[in-house]
Amino acid sequence: MTSILGIETSCDETGVAVVADGRRVLANEVASQIDIHKEFGGVVPEIASRQHTRVISQLTRKALGIAGIEIPDAVAVTRGPGLMGSLLVGLCFAKAIAYAWNKPLIGVHHIEGHIFAAMLCDSPPEFPFLALVVSGGHTQLVDCPAPHQYAILGATRDDAVGECFDKVARLLGLPYPGGPSIQKAAEGGDPQAFRFPRAMLDAPHLDFSYSGLKTAVLYTLRDDPGAKDRLPDLAASFQEAAVDALLAKTRQAMRETGARRLVLAGGVAANRRLRERLLADIDGDVFLPPFAYCLDNGAMIAAAADSRLRHGLTDPLTITPDAALPL
Amino acid sequence: MNAERTLELISPSSTATERLGEALARLLPEGSTVALYGDLATGKTCLVRGMAAHFTGKREVHSPTFTLINEYRGNPTLFHIDLYRLAGPEEAVELGCEEIFDSLNVCAVEWAERAERLLPDRCIRIVMRHAGNDRRAVCIVNPGLLPEGWEEALRRAVAVLE
């Protein structure tokens, strides 16, 4: 058995996990700041480094204890992209323990981590595949021809889809985080009640745009005084528009690349409507990440690192974080 | 030209707002901070996309609401900060905003009111509001940082025919 310690500190969450053989999660600890600060439209109380610094040691000790592993075979850590201060905490910590244990260090791209969350199951996807990465900070279609080879086929030109959920939730007076609250509000609503735009559907490229959808909801609330009383319809119609655009570009990308497998990744992968629609409308095998590994976590970083280790892709202790690391 | 001057413009479209950002970027001295104020969907990110086009030659700007700080590498590098998710200035300090404000790079800050007291004394303030249909009212407060002729240059940017 190969056990890998995975550390993720690129943004709000401090994640530490132990994964065996790239797919079996022995421990997955996440210190999130969402729960304690839901009240104010998505505030992160102590972003950045201080919170990560405070919890990372104890979280690591806890994860190793739960996993029953004294010293793992390698130490994996998110190298970027993300907040410089936050990345530094995780990377410095990872370097220190890799050095102390004399184990290989593996730097992982945050998005590669999200894609590898789909490997944390009994029947993981084989390469090649197409990945749809959807989260608060990212909306990307990534061609994955072979392990650790990536080509970004399309990305958002403005807001990420997860961010759009959060901002629309705020416009609708729904609590943070917006994804789950819109999903809940949409239950029983008519997804065709309001006609919101699906941006760039007819464009030849594979990019997304979610800024106009947010604006359209805002205009509807401004111009249609009765709209606010039809919350389920509004939420369902918004959700449908957001999901439609993802579906359309994903189908287009699968046609163009000839991909037969689709891997969904990122926090918005937890959205039930998106999952249903992908399973129903995508021509090919659809791999959905387990709910537990959709949001930022250390297990996905360890999963990606396991494959990197098997491909001989380890890093020297001199690597530095990169806030704008390209995939 | 050291006196504070205010210019009110109406931008008819997101394309015009982008052009305004581009025109503004051309006028900005080294190390400038641009503080952006305005509700959701008033065009703040759009304006920054225009700025990035000038500094980096690319329009690949995405909202930093979740990522908090985006860096667009160019000459100079443009730091795009979004304080929407922050509760106050202490968190902006944690985030490293002061270092960025003090650097020679250009910085654009969305939801700047969340860290008002951290902003440099002489920063350019831009307030954006909805003005009916797709129009946005853009109010630019220049504390004497922009060169002579700035008003005309910015007015021209939003006036160009679509």
Side-chain angles (χ1 to χ4, degrees), chain A residues 151-327:
Chain A
I152 295 171
L153 303 177
T156 182
R157 294 191 174 184
D158 38 56
D159 297 0
V161 61
E163 168 184 353
C164 190
F165 269 86
D166 275 320
K167 289 191 170 166
V168 167
R170 181 162 168 182
L171 291 173
L172 298 178
L174 296 169
Y176 179 84
S181 55
I182 284 185
Q183 175 170 292
K184 190 152 180 279
E187 284 169 13
D190 173 6
Q192 311 301 333
F194 293 90
R195 191 66 201 164
F196 291 128
R198 279 79 170 149
M200 300 176 167
L201 281 201
D202 300 322
H205 59 70
L206 293 166
D207 285 346
F208 302 93
S209 168
Y210 277 98
S211 170
L213 178 54
K214 168 187 73 187
T215 309
V217 175
L218 180 80
Y219 286 179
T220 300
L221 290 169
R222 181 188 69 185
D223 301 335
D224 178 352
K228 201 132 201 180
D229 302 328
R230 300 165 60 197
L231 188 60
D233 287 350
L234 266 178
S237 300
F238 160 75
Q239 180 171 258
E240 202 67 5
V243 169
D244 268 349
L246 292 176
L247 242 327
K249 288 296 174 188
T250 303
R251 288 166 59 115
Q252 188 181 335
M254 294 202 56
R255 272 198 308 276
E256 284 177 18
T257 57
R260 300 296 308 151
R261 298 183 195 92
L262 175 73
V263 168
L264 183 64
V268 182
N271 182 274
R272 281 198 303 272
R273 187 67 184 146
L274 176 61
R275 294 167 87 101
E276 283 166 19
R277 291 284 308 278
L278 286 173
L279 288 172
D281 296 346
I282 291 294
D283 186 20
D285 295 329
V286 177
F287 294 83
L288 304 174
F291 280 111
Y293 311 122
C294 289
L295 295 172
D296 290 354
N297 64 84
M300 66 185 202
I301 301 303
D306 182 86
S307 171
R308 286 196 159 263
L309 185 64
R310 280 186 280 112
H311 287 85
L313 300 169
T314 61
D315 292 292
L317 289 173
T318 50
I319 55 167
T320 52
D322 185 343
L325 186 68
L327 186 63

Side-chain angles (χ1 to χ4, degrees), chain A residues 11-12 42-45 47-48 50 83 136-137 157-159 163 166-167 170-171 215 218-219 322-324, chain B residues 40-41 49 61-63 65-69 71 73 82 84-87 91 94-95 114 130 132-134 136:
Chain A
C11 198
D12 307 343
V43 174
V44 187
I47 18 99
R50 197 166 56 189
L83 287 172
R157 294 191 174 184
D158 38 56
D159 297 0
E163 168 184 353
D166 275 320
K167 289 191 170 166
R170 181 162 168 182
L171 291 173
T215 309
L218 180 80
Y219 286 179
D322 185 343
Chain B
L40 289 176
R49 181 173 299 110
V61 163
H62 52 277
S63 166
T65 295
F66 264 79
T67 47
L68 302 169
I69 301 177
E71 276 179 52
R73 287 179 193 162
D82 190 337
Y84 179 74
R85 297 196 298 144
L86 306 198
E91 291 178 11
E94 283 292 311
L95 194 57
R114 303 267 156 93
H130 292 278
N133 298 325
D134 279 335
R136 303 289 187 268

Side-chain angles (χ1 to χ4, degrees), chain A residues 27-47:
Chain A
N28 185 43
E29 292 300 303
V30 180
S32 171
Q33 302 167 38
I34 291 179
D35 293 342
I36 34 178
H37 280 262
K38 275 181 181 170
E39 74 276 9
F40 183 54
V43 174
V44 187
E46 298 188 59
I47 18 99

